[in-house]
Amino acid sequence: MDDAQVMAAVRAVEGWMIDCRRALHQVPELGFELTQTRAYVRDRLHELRIPHADCQGGLLGLIEGARPGPTLLLRADMDALPLEEPSGPFSSRHPGRMHACGHDAHTAILLGAAKVLGEHRDALCGNVKLLFQPAEETDGGAKPMVEAGCMTEPPVDWAFGLHVMPRLPVGVVETRAGTLNAATDGLTIRIHGKSGHGAYPEGGADAIVCAAQLISALQTLISRNVSPLSSAVLHIGMIEGGVAPNVMCDLVTLRGTLRTADGALRLALKQRIREAVQGVCQAMGCTADVAVEPGYCALVNQPNEAGRVLKLAERLYGAKGALEAAAPSMGGEDFAYFIERTPGAFFHVGCADPAHMPAPPLHSRAFTLDERCLAVGATMEVALAMELIGTKRSDD
């Protein structure tokens, strides 16, 4: 299949993909608890006569080409977010749950690509693994699937994934070589003071005042310890403490996140956080415990494969349709674990209606997307398959 044939084949299943996306949008589920979502995907794979199996809360399908050859993995995440969606024509039927990050679109895109590739097995010399992943938004479903062997039997030679992006218009594909998404670490700090009467501050050690000083000090780690040319975020998103207005607080808990795009900087900031906490707390007559919970590793695109994505996007959608990201995103993405093991790349697919930009962001109750992006995503996935394992590969 050449590019024109790929685009025509995807257009032929576009309505089916939209139906899939709307059905999935109405049953958003969280984490690994994806009963209805998984059942829907399983039914579609069965309908397409694609063999599949459960894998660590997700699903793994396999399309075998007409001739043997290498294996390409395509991934979609399936989980939603704990948000209440405004009412609409196909809005969430699950209270307090919403597909506000577009994973319903990712799943529909991969199903659409599977439908096209399954109908054109004779154009493939190799395999396509279809990986439907749980828990990208929570504990991370990618790593357990990798550890369970999703990259073996047959071994994966390339892996690609995508994410819809509302800051980009439909018809634009974005990626970059090297780091595309930051490493994510959780941060919990417990400040221990000395309780006392609020009217007699000299008799205690106020953990709330210490926390206020510490939050300010932690912000200077970014502004004064990190080069302006580097990327890092240290955010304190939760603070808990105090029992009454007139009682001096003896325990405050801070929780936050550290995002870094460089491994050495990640290690350095973890150490500087501990040093800042101990220094500030000692000065305020308090003590503290610091726990850094490792999160996702940084997502690092293999340069050749990121370049492949950009060249393909330009070929399909013109020069304006291929955008090289200037800097990494501070958002986390556990697709990183797949391309730690094999060459590959992750890319963004514009999902905003060009006539209505700027669009509401990801993780917003107002998030929506232009469903024309489904065809763009599926076209990219099918075209990648044809380029890498098609019977008329460019390296033949």
Side-chain angles (χ1 to χ4, degrees):
M1 297 173 72
D2 60 23
D3 290 345
Q5 290 171 321
V6 168
M7 296 183 86
V10 171
R11 280 196 301 270
V13 304
E14 185 173 9
W16 185 83
M17 277 194 293
I18 290 172
D19 289 343
C20 289
R21 184 256 165 169
R22 293 182 179 184
L24 290 163
H25 192 85
Q26 294 177 77
V27 292
E29 297 171 293
L30 305 182
F32 288 94
E33 304 300 319
L34 304 177
T35 305
Q36 289 180 265
T37 304
R38 201 162 42 241
Y40 183 88
V41 173
R42 191 182 291 115
D43 287 347
R44 299 292 77 73
L45 293 175
H46 181 74
E47 171 188 317
L48 298 175
R49 298 183 179 181
I50 295 174
H52 54 277
D54 293 343
C55 180
Q56 297 296 306
L59 290 166
L60 193 60
L62 182 66
I63 299 173
E64 294 182 280
R67 289 191 283 168
T71 297
L72 165 67
L73 181 145
L74 299 172
R75 173 268 210 167
D77 39 12
M78 302 186 290
D79 56 322
L81 288 163
L83 293 173
E84 187 72 31
E85 183 172 22
S87 61
F90 51 91
S91 56
S92 171
R93 297 174 181 169
H94 294 173
R97 305 287 185 266
M98 178 186 174
H99 269 297
C101 200
H103 294 189
D104 54 334
H106 303 167
T107 303
I109 286 169
L110 186 52
L111 285 172
K115 186 172 175 63
V116 172
L117 291 168
E119 292 170 352
H120 293 85
R121 297 171 200 254
D122 57 347
L124 302 175
C125 50
N127 311 298
V128 180
K129 280 192 176 182
L130 310 165
L131 190 144
F132 297 90
Q133 180 201 311
E136 191 278 330
E137 299 286 3
T138 53
D139 300 324
K143 193 173 183 181
M145 294 187 82
V146 170
E147 291 171 347
C150 73
M151 305 289 285
T152 62
E153 297 181 9
V156 172
D157 296 279
W158 302 276
F160 290 88
L162 60 78
H163 204 298
V164 294
M165 191 58 65
R167 60 178 171 76
L168 301 174
V170 169
V172 173
V173 174
E174 175 191 65
T175 193
R176 73 191 303 267
T179 303
L180 182 67
N181 287 83
T184 64
D185 294 300
L187 182 64
T188 301
I189 303 169
R190 290 184 173 85
I191 300 170
H192 304 277
K194 181 181 177 182
S195 184
H197 198 300
Y200 309 104
E202 71 280 8
D206 194 335
I208 287 179
V209 172
C210 183
Q213 296 286 336
L214 179 59
I215 290 171
S216 295
L218 289 174
Q219 299 309 303
T220 66
L221 296 185
I222 303 300
S223 65
R224 290 296 176 267
N225 287 253
V226 177
S227 166
L229 302 179
S230 298
S231 299
V233 172
L234 176 54
H235 171 71
I236 302 299
M238 295 177 65
I239 179 169
E240 302 167 322
V243 295
N246 61 344
V247 175
M248 191 174 295
C249 176
D250 64 351
L251 176 63
V252 170
T253 301
L254 307 177
R255 291 186 174 87
T257 184
L258 172 67
R259 307 292 177 105
T260 48
D262 175 81
L265 181 59
R266 184 185 190 188
L267 291 174
L269 281 175
K270 288 181 182 180
Q271 180 61 30
R272 291 293 291 125
I273 288 168
R274 295 181 187 278
E275 293 170 353
V277 169
Q278 298 306 325
V280 170
C281 289
Q282 183 178 8
M284 302 295 294
C286 297
T287 61
D289 305 315
V290 180
V292 179
E293 300 90 25
Y296 300 162
C297 61
L299 190 160
V300 182
N301 281 336
Q302 205 274 342
N304 287 345
E305 304 314 323
R308 185 189 303 278
V309 168
L310 289 172
K311 288 176 184 176
L312 179 58
E314 182 173 0
R315 206 168 74 216
L316 293 168
Y317 299 106
K320 293 183 179 179
L323 179 64
E324 185 170 5
S329 163
M330 290 294 99
E333 174 51 69
D334 70 347
F335 183 79
Y337 293 105
F338 301 115
I339 54 175
E340 271 192 331
R341 303 292 185 98
T342 195
F346 194 74
F347 57 95
H348 303 146
V349 174
C351 69
D353 181 343
H356 296 92
M357 293 183 71
L362 299 170
H363 290 217
S364 161
R365 292 179 70 246
F367 172 75
T368 187
L369 55 79
D370 185 326
E371 290 177 321
R372 290 177 294 178
C373 72
L374 303 180
V376 176
T379 298
M380 288 294 297
E381 291 185 338
V382 174
L384 281 166
M386 290 301 162
E387 182 168 311
L388 290 166
I389 65 168
T391 54
K392 296 182 180 180
R393 299 195 309 270
S394 59
D395 60 343
D396 281 350

